[in-house]
């Protein structure tokens, strides 16, 4: 395996692990919040919405970090390409 192939492989493994981590986080989020919702309904109070929304914000941030901003991601690649084009346009050489 040549050097570029190795770095590509490392990036692929890193992105796959990040995506798997997000899926695990989302699964735990759903299971725990379903349990808390059941307890909340059984107690006659609706307290479970607070941890749901708080944790949901964290899950959304995790999603953005993995699916939008990860190295090699589509969004990040478009930003890098845009910056590369701007820098090349200014280059006097």
């Amino acid at each position: 395996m040549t050097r570029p192939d190795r770095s590509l492989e490392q990036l692929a493994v890193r992105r796959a692990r990040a995506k798997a981590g997000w899926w695990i986080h989302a699964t735990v989020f759903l299971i725990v919040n379903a349990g808390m919702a059941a307890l909340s309904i059984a107690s006659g109070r609706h307290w479970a919405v607070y941890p749901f929304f708080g944790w949901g914000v964290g899950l959304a941030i995790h999603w953005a970090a993995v699916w939008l901003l990860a190295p090699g991601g589509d969004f990040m690649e478009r930003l890098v390409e845009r910056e590369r084009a701007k820098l090349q346009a200014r280059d006097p050489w």
Side-chain angles (χ1 to χ4, degrees):
M1 193 180 307
T2 64
R3 185 123 173 101
D5 290 339
R6 185 175 310 189
S7 64
L8 184 64
E9 180 69 18
Q10 288 171 342
L11 179 60
V13 168
R14 182 177 169 197
R15 289 183 62 188
R17 285 183 179 153
K19 289 177 181 181
W22 185 85
W23 282 108
I24 291 168
H25 186 180
T27 302
V28 171
F29 171 83
L30 291 173
I31 292 168
V32 170
N33 279 286
M36 287 193 302
L39 289 172
S40 177
I41 291 168
S43 71
R45 298 174 166 208
H46 300 290
W47 54 267
V49 295
Y50 301 110
F52 175 82
F53 285 119
W55 192 352
V57 168
L59 184 62
I61 291 169
H62 189 180
W63 175 86
V66 170
W67 299 95
L68 288 181
L69 305 175
D74 294 336
F75 179 72
M76 188 59 83
E77 288 297 320
R78 286 194 308 264
L79 289 176
V80 169
E81 185 58 39
R82 188 179 307 154
E83 290 302 317
R84 186 179 295 121
K86 286 180 185 178
L87 290 171
Q88 287 174 345
R90 281 193 240 155
D91 190 14
W93 303 102

